[in-house]
Amino acid sequence: MSAFDHNADDDCTYLGLVGLVSGVLNSFENNKDDVYLGIYYLPVVLPPNSFSVKDVLDYARMFCSNGVCQDSAFSYLLDRVRSANRAMSSLISAGVLSGIAFAAVLVVDWYDVDQIIRDSEVYVKKLKEIYDEVLGIVSSYIDSLPNLTRNEKIIYVQQCSEDLNYLMATVNATGEKNEIKMYLLNKMGNYCSRYNLYPCPQGEDSEEE
């Protein structure tokens, strides 16, 4: 699932593959004096030339056992990913920040779109509260700086809100609210340092990076 390109089309599976181990061949074994030695070969099937959905499905059909091919399993997985992406897009369309939508959808089970949206609601609410609180702290800090003009303060707050949205996608939505808040404050402190806004707000028990 793409973390930030929520409007991506269906041409890419977002999967990567260097090869599939198709078996294990034992060419040498020696068990002597409680020391076990062995040499094994792992035959590898090369990946497909393209990772489009169609090519990966065609590739998966090559691997069959008792008449059951792996394309059915891949199709099932891909359907779940599509449902997650559609649920995330629906949340964003409803006004949820993209970073919050991604973090919330990531921690729930993926079945159908309505279920994903319903299960993620508690995390969306939790993360929105944290986002608003952290942005409020940073905005108040920027607003208090005497060496900035009003327009500069507006620009910095807007940039920090975008940076914070990006950071929301990196949090574990199941974590404790205070831990998430402290993590975000520390990260936002780093952003403020990048903009040469000193002293920067920091979370409690922050560590130098």
Short mmCIF file of all heavy atoms in Angstrom, two decimals, residues 96-121:
data_model
loop_
_atom_site.label_atom_id
_atom_site.label_comp_id
_atom_site.label_asym_id
_atom_site.label_seq_id
_atom_site.Cartn_x
_atom_site.Cartn_y
_atom_site.Cartn_z
N VAL A 96 -10.64 13.85 6.67
CA VAL A 96 -9.58 13.34 7.54
C VAL A 96 -8.24 13.59 6.88
O VAL A 96 -8.07 13.37 5.68
CB VAL A 96 -9.77 11.83 7.81
CG1 VAL A 96 -8.62 11.28 8.66
CG2 VAL A 96 -11.11 11.57 8.48
N LEU A 97 -7.27 14.07 7.65
CA LEU A 97 -5.93 14.30 7.11
C LEU A 97 -5.34 12.99 6.60
O LEU A 97 -5.56 11.93 7.19
CB LEU A 97 -5.03 14.90 8.18
CG LEU A 97 -5.34 16.33 8.62
CD1 LEU A 97 -4.50 16.71 9.82
CD2 LEU A 97 -5.11 17.30 7.47
N SER A 98 -4.58 13.08 5.52
CA SER A 98 -4.06 11.87 4.89
C SER A 98 -3.17 11.06 5.83
O SER A 98 -3.22 9.84 5.86
CB SER A 98 -3.28 12.23 3.62
OG SER A 98 -2.21 13.11 3.92
N GLY A 99 -2.33 11.75 6.61
CA GLY A 99 -1.45 11.04 7.54
C GLY A 99 -2.23 10.30 8.61
O GLY A 99 -1.90 9.17 8.98
N ILE A 100 -3.28 10.92 9.12
CA ILE A 100 -4.13 10.28 10.13
C ILE A 100 -4.89 9.11 9.52
O ILE A 100 -4.99 8.03 10.13
CB ILE A 100 -5.10 11.31 10.73
CG1 ILE A 100 -4.33 12.34 11.56
CG2 ILE A 100 -6.18 10.63 11.57
CD1 ILE A 100 -5.20 13.45 12.12
N ALA A 101 -5.42 9.29 8.31
CA ALA A 101 -6.16 8.21 7.65
C ALA A 101 -5.26 7.00 7.44
O ALA A 101 -5.67 5.86 7.69
CB ALA A 101 -6.71 8.70 6.31
N PHE A 102 -4.05 7.23 6.99
CA PHE A 102 -3.13 6.13 6.75
C PHE A 102 -2.81 5.39 8.04
O PHE A 102 -2.87 4.16 8.10
CB PHE A 102 -1.84 6.65 6.11
CG PHE A 102 -0.82 5.57 5.86
CD1 PHE A 102 -0.92 4.73 4.77
CD2 PHE A 102 0.25 5.40 6.73
CE1 PHE A 102 0.01 3.74 4.54
CE2 PHE A 102 1.19 4.41 6.51
CZ PHE A 102 1.08 3.57 5.41
N ALA A 103 -2.45 6.12 9.10
CA ALA A 103 -2.09 5.50 10.37
C ALA A 103 -3.25 4.71 10.97
O ALA A 103 -3.07 3.63 11.54
CB ALA A 103 -1.60 6.55 11.36
N ALA A 104 -4.47 5.24 10.82
CA ALA A 104 -5.64 4.58 11.39
C ALA A 104 -6.00 3.32 10.63
O ALA A 104 -6.30 2.28 11.22
CB ALA A 104 -6.83 5.55 11.40
N VAL A 105 -5.95 3.38 9.30
CA VAL A 105 -6.29 2.21 8.48
C VAL A 105 -5.25 1.11 8.64
O VAL A 105 -5.57 -0.08 8.60
CB VAL A 105 -6.42 2.63 7.00
CG1 VAL A 105 -6.47 1.41 6.08
CG2 VAL A 105 -7.67 3.48 6.80
N LEU A 106 -4.02 1.50 8.87
CA LEU A 106 -2.93 0.54 8.93
C LEU A 106 -3.08 -0.45 10.09
O LEU A 106 -2.59 -1.57 10.01
CB LEU A 106 -1.59 1.28 9.06
CG LEU A 106 -0.32 0.50 8.74
CD1 LEU A 106 -0.30 0.06 7.29
CD2 LEU A 106 0.92 1.33 9.06
N VAL A 107 -3.76 -0.07 11.17
CA VAL A 107 -3.80 -0.91 12.37
C VAL A 107 -5.07 -1.73 12.50
O VAL A 107 -5.25 -2.43 13.50
CB VAL A 107 -3.60 -0.05 13.64
CG1 VAL A 107 -2.22 0.58 13.64
CG2 VAL A 107 -4.69 1.01 13.77
N VAL A 108 -5.97 -1.66 11.52
CA VAL A 108 -7.20 -2.46 11.59
C VAL A 108 -7.14 -3.58 10.55
O VAL A 108 -6.32 -3.55 9.64
CB VAL A 108 -8.45 -1.59 11.35
CG1 VAL A 108 -8.52 -0.46 12.39
CG2 VAL A 108 -8.47 -1.00 9.94
N ASP A 109 -8.02 -4.56 10.71
CA ASP A 109 -8.08 -5.65 9.74
C ASP A 109 -8.69 -5.14 8.44
O ASP A 109 -9.57 -4.28 8.44
CB ASP A 109 -8.93 -6.80 10.29
CG ASP A 109 -8.27 -7.48 11.48
OD1 ASP A 109 -7.02 -7.52 11.51
OD2 ASP A 109 -9.00 -7.97 12.36
N TRP A 110 -8.22 -5.69 7.34
CA TRP A 110 -8.69 -5.28 6.02
C TRP A 110 -9.62 -6.34 5.44
O TRP A 110 -9.17 -7.41 5.03
CB TRP A 110 -7.52 -5.07 5.06
CG TRP A 110 -6.58 -3.97 5.47
CD1 TRP A 110 -6.79 -3.01 6.41
CD2 TRP A 110 -5.28 -3.72 4.94
NE1 TRP A 110 -5.71 -2.17 6.50
CE2 TRP A 110 -4.77 -2.59 5.61
CE3 TRP A 110 -4.50 -4.34 3.96
CZ2 TRP A 110 -3.50 -2.08 5.33
CZ3 TRP A 110 -3.25 -3.83 3.69
CH2 TRP A 110 -2.76 -2.70 4.36
N TYR A 111 -10.91 -6.03 5.38
CA TYR A 111 -11.87 -6.90 4.73
C TYR A 111 -12.64 -6.07 3.70
O TYR A 111 -12.23 -5.93 2.58
CB TYR A 111 -12.79 -7.56 5.76
CG TYR A 111 -12.04 -8.53 6.65
CD1 TYR A 111 -11.74 -8.20 7.98
CD2 TYR A 111 -11.60 -9.76 6.17
CE1 TYR A 111 -11.03 -9.08 8.79
CE2 TYR A 111 -10.88 -10.64 6.98
CZ TYR A 111 -10.62 -10.29 8.28
OH TYR A 111 -9.91 -11.15 9.08
N ASP A 112 -13.77 -5.49 4.11
CA ASP A 112 -14.49 -4.63 3.17
C ASP A 112 -14.35 -3.18 3.61
O ASP A 112 -13.97 -2.88 4.75
CB ASP A 112 -15.97 -5.02 3.09
CG ASP A 112 -16.67 -4.85 4.42
OD1 ASP A 112 -17.01 -3.71 4.78
OD2 ASP A 112 -16.87 -5.87 5.11
N VAL A 113 -14.63 -2.28 2.69
CA VAL A 113 -14.39 -0.85 2.91
C VAL A 113 -15.14 -0.33 4.12
O VAL A 113 -14.57 0.37 4.97
CB VAL A 113 -14.77 -0.05 1.65
CG1 VAL A 113 -14.64 1.45 1.91
CG2 VAL A 113 -13.90 -0.46 0.47
N ASP A 114 -16.44 -0.66 4.22
CA ASP A 114 -17.24 -0.14 5.33
C ASP A 114 -16.70 -0.60 6.67
O ASP A 114 -16.68 0.17 7.64
CB ASP A 114 -18.69 -0.59 5.17
CG ASP A 114 -19.38 0.09 3.99
OD1 ASP A 114 -18.89 1.16 3.57
OD2 ASP A 114 -20.38 -0.44 3.49
N GLN A 115 -16.27 -1.86 6.73
CA GLN A 115 -15.72 -2.38 7.98
C GLN A 115 -14.43 -1.68 8.36
O GLN A 115 -14.20 -1.35 9.53
CB GLN A 115 -15.50 -3.89 7.85
CG GLN A 115 -14.64 -4.51 8.96
CD GLN A 115 -13.18 -4.63 8.53
OE1 GLN A 115 -12.89 -4.96 7.39
NE2 GLN A 115 -12.27 -4.35 9.45
N ILE A 116 -13.58 -1.42 7.37
CA ILE A 116 -12.30 -0.75 7.64
C ILE A 116 -12.56 0.66 8.17
O ILE A 116 -11.94 1.10 9.15
CB ILE A 116 -11.44 -0.70 6.37
CG1 ILE A 116 -11.05 -2.11 5.94
CG2 ILE A 116 -10.18 0.14 6.59
CD1 ILE A 116 -10.34 -2.19 4.60
N ILE A 117 -13.47 1.38 7.52
CA ILE A 117 -13.79 2.73 7.97
C ILE A 117 -14.37 2.70 9.38
O ILE A 117 -13.99 3.52 10.24
CB ILE A 117 -14.79 3.39 6.99
CG1 ILE A 117 -14.12 3.62 5.64
CG2 ILE A 117 -15.31 4.70 7.55
CD1 ILE A 117 -15.05 4.13 4.57
N ARG A 118 -15.27 1.78 9.62
CA ARG A 118 -15.90 1.69 10.94
C ARG A 118 -14.87 1.38 12.03
O ARG A 118 -14.85 2.01 13.09
CB ARG A 118 -16.98 0.61 10.90
CG ARG A 118 -17.77 0.48 12.20
CD ARG A 118 -18.92 -0.48 12.02
NE ARG A 118 -18.48 -1.82 11.61
CZ ARG A 118 -18.64 -2.33 10.40
NH1 ARG A 118 -19.22 -1.62 9.45
NH2 ARG A 118 -18.22 -3.56 10.12
N ASP A 119 -13.99 0.41 11.77
CA ASP A 119 -13.01 0.02 12.78
C ASP A 119 -11.94 1.08 13.01
O ASP A 119 -11.33 1.14 14.08
CB ASP A 119 -12.34 -1.30 12.38
CG ASP A 119 -13.29 -2.48 12.43
OD1 ASP A 119 -14.41 -2.31 12.95
OD2 ASP A 119 -12.92 -3.57 11.94
N SER A 120 -11.69 1.90 11.99
CA SER A 120 -10.63 2.89 12.11
C SER A 120 -11.10 4.19 12.77
O SER A 120 -10.29 5.05 13.12
CB SER A 120 -10.03 3.21 10.73
OG SER A 120 -11.00 3.80 9.89
N GLU A 121 -12.42 4.33 12.96
CA GLU A 121 -12.97 5.59 13.47
C GLU A 121 -12.37 5.96 14.83
O GLU A 121 -12.06 7.13 15.08
CB GLU A 121 -14.49 5.49 13.59
CG GLU A 121 -15.21 5.59 12.25
CD GLU A 121 -16.72 5.45 12.40
OE1 GLU A 121 -17.17 5.12 13.52
OE2 GLU A 121 -17.43 5.66 11.40
#
